[in-house]
Amino acid sequence: DYKEKCARVIFGPDLVMLGPDEQFTQLSLSGGKPKKPHQIKSLCLLLGPDFCTDIITIETSDHARLSLQLSYNWHFTVDKSDPADAAKLFSVPDFVGDLCKAIASRIRGAVSSVQFDDFHKN
């Protein structure tokens, strides 16, 4: 509702009638492999369980470059009776992009201190 500046979250499937001052909020999520921003446009957010796949490039300590394909499983646990908890679902604009960037950064940091032979064997 843009007049009252408050959001309404509906858990569905459900029939919803918008008020005269309400409008849908479109989500813009990262998609593709490797992840690119603003690839998926959606009006609904699936709570999961679901997964996403990403391809990242890493470099070992001896400067060997590798491309890894990673898959992540995720699931949102939400108290549907608490409006404040439901609003937290939309507090991050692109959770897919943030998830993939954060995990890729941790993997790159861990692999950068290991030589290729050790990485390949273990």
Side-chain angles (χ1 to χ4, degrees):
D1 192 343
Y2 60 86
K3 275 194 175 178
E4 296 180 17
K5 296 184 181 177
C6 66
R8 180 169 57 140
V9 178
I10 305 294
F11 293 96
D14 198 0
L15 179 64
V16 177
M17 284 190 59
L18 295 179
D21 299 324
E22 289 183 314
Q23 63 186 8
F24 288 110
T25 302
Q26 184 181 26
L27 297 174
S28 180
L29 302 174
S30 296
K33 292 185 239 176
K35 292 290 179 246
K36 295 177 194 161
H38 312 296
Q39 296 295 309
I40 300 171
K41 308 288 187 202
S42 179
L43 293 177
C44 66
L45 177 63
L46 302 177
L47 299 179
D50 207 349
F51 73 97
C52 61
T53 303
D54 194 14
I55 297 175
I56 63 170
T57 302
I58 59 171
E59 187 172 335
T60 62
S61 64
D62 52 353
H63 304 291
R65 289 186 180 230
L66 303 166
S67 183
L68 298 179
Q69 182 171 338
L70 306 170
S71 291
Y72 313 111
N73 290 323
W74 54 267
H75 181 275
F76 289 113
T77 305
V78 181
D79 180 12
K80 295 180 181 180
S81 62
D82 183 14
D85 199 27
K88 289 179 187 177
L89 287 171
F90 301 98
S91 63
V92 177
D94 181 11
F95 76 94
V96 174
D98 291 350
L99 159 84
C100 291
K101 284 180 200 172
I103 295 177
S105 175
R106 289 182 180 209
I107 291 172
R108 283 188 191 104
V111 172
S112 67
S113 63
V114 178
Q115 291 194 354
F116 174 76
D117 290 335
D118 294 335
F119 177 77
H120 187 67
K121 289 178 184 175
N122 300 323

